[in-house]
Amino acid sequence: MGKSSLVKAAHAEVRKGLQKAKSGHDLKLVEIHREDIDTLPHCLAAIRDSRHRFIIFCDDLSFDHDDTSYK
C-alpha cells in the first residue's frame, strides 16, 4: 500500500524545510523491525536527550482481531 514510502517521502519534505529554515535541528527517521519491537524502550532512552526530533516507525506490524500480541 506504500505506507513506508509515504513515511519516507514526508520525512524528506520536512527535512528540506528544516534545512531551508536553517533551524539547526534535524528530523531523524528510525525504522525498527517488528522482531525488535521489545528494544523500543532502549531506543527511546538513547535518543531522549537529543536536540533532534525523531520519527520512529515499524512497518509490517499487524494484529489479529482475537490476538493480544503483534506479528
Side-chain angles (χ1 to χ4, degrees):
M1 300 287 300
K3 294 177 290 296
S4 271
S5 296
L6 178 61
V7 169
K8 291 174 184 177
H11 169 250
E13 285 299 311
V14 171
R15 285 191 78 216
K16 277 193 235 177
L18 289 172
Q19 290 168 350
K20 282 184 184 177
K22 298 180 183 358
S23 68
H25 297 283
D26 199 1
L27 180 66
K28 306 293 185 179
L29 183 63
V30 178
E31 181 176 4
I32 61 170
H33 298 279
R34 67 179 176 206
E35 297 85 15
D36 299 325
I37 199 125
D38 59 333
T39 66
L40 188 55
H42 180 71
C43 177
L44 294 173
I47 64 176
R48 179 177 296 131
D49 295 327
S50 175
R51 66 185 181 108
H52 303 296
R53 298 290 185 212
F54 294 83
I55 296 173
I56 301 173
F57 79 105
C58 181
D59 201 14
D60 297 327
L61 185 63
S62 63
F63 298 87
D64 285 333
H65 69 287
D66 292 332
D67 196 1
T68 58
S69 63
Y70 61 89
K71 59 179 168 177

